[in-house]
Amino acid sequence: LDSSFTLRKDVLSVFTKQNEAVDCFAVCDLLEEQGQQNVFEPAVERALWDLKPILIEERGKGNRTRKWELYSPKVSETLKGMEV
């Protein structure tokens, strides 16, 4: 598996544990809490972009901040059911 696939999988894992939208920096922090080392923010931003079809993007004041969450709780349920 390539590193971008692994990162997308790990980012999805972060979202399955969240009850609210989080920004890219929070995703990076949560990845580090899960044991990821050397989390590269632009790579996480790219993973969020790649995952956009199953995420909801919320924009803050003046479109300066973006927060993300899973499109539906069903996505989280499906992902949890696929974990080994």
Side-chain angles (χ1 to χ4, degrees), residues 18-33:
Q18 299 307 305
N19 294 323
E20 61 186 13
V22 292
D23 64 20
C24 183
F25 298 110
V27 172
C28 292
D29 291 343
L30 292 163
L31 287 169
E32 288 173 350
E33 287 176 18

Side-chain angles (χ1 to χ4, degrees), residues 11-77:
V11 167
L12 283 173
S13 175
V14 164
F15 283 113
T16 62
K17 298 172 182 146
Q18 299 307 305
N19 294 323
E20 61 186 13
V22 292
D23 64 20
C24 183
F25 298 110
V27 172
C28 292
D29 291 343
L30 292 163
L31 287 169
E32 288 173 350
E33 287 176 18
Q34 289 183 358
Q36 284 248 2
Q37 296 180 352
N38 302 321
V39 175
F40 187 54
E41 185 264 332
V44 172
E45 187 76 35
R46 174 60 199 236
L48 291 168
W49 180 260
D50 291 344
L51 295 168
K52 197 171 182 174
I54 60 171
L55 299 175
I56 296 172
E57 178 184 0
E58 298 176 6
R59 294 212 176 243
K61 292 182 180 180
N63 286 337
R64 297 185 130 225
T65 60
R66 291 183 294 171
K67 291 188 175 185
W68 307 83
E69 65 183 319
L70 291 173
Y71 175 75
S72 164
K74 294 283 186 191
V75 174
S76 180
E77 292 170 21

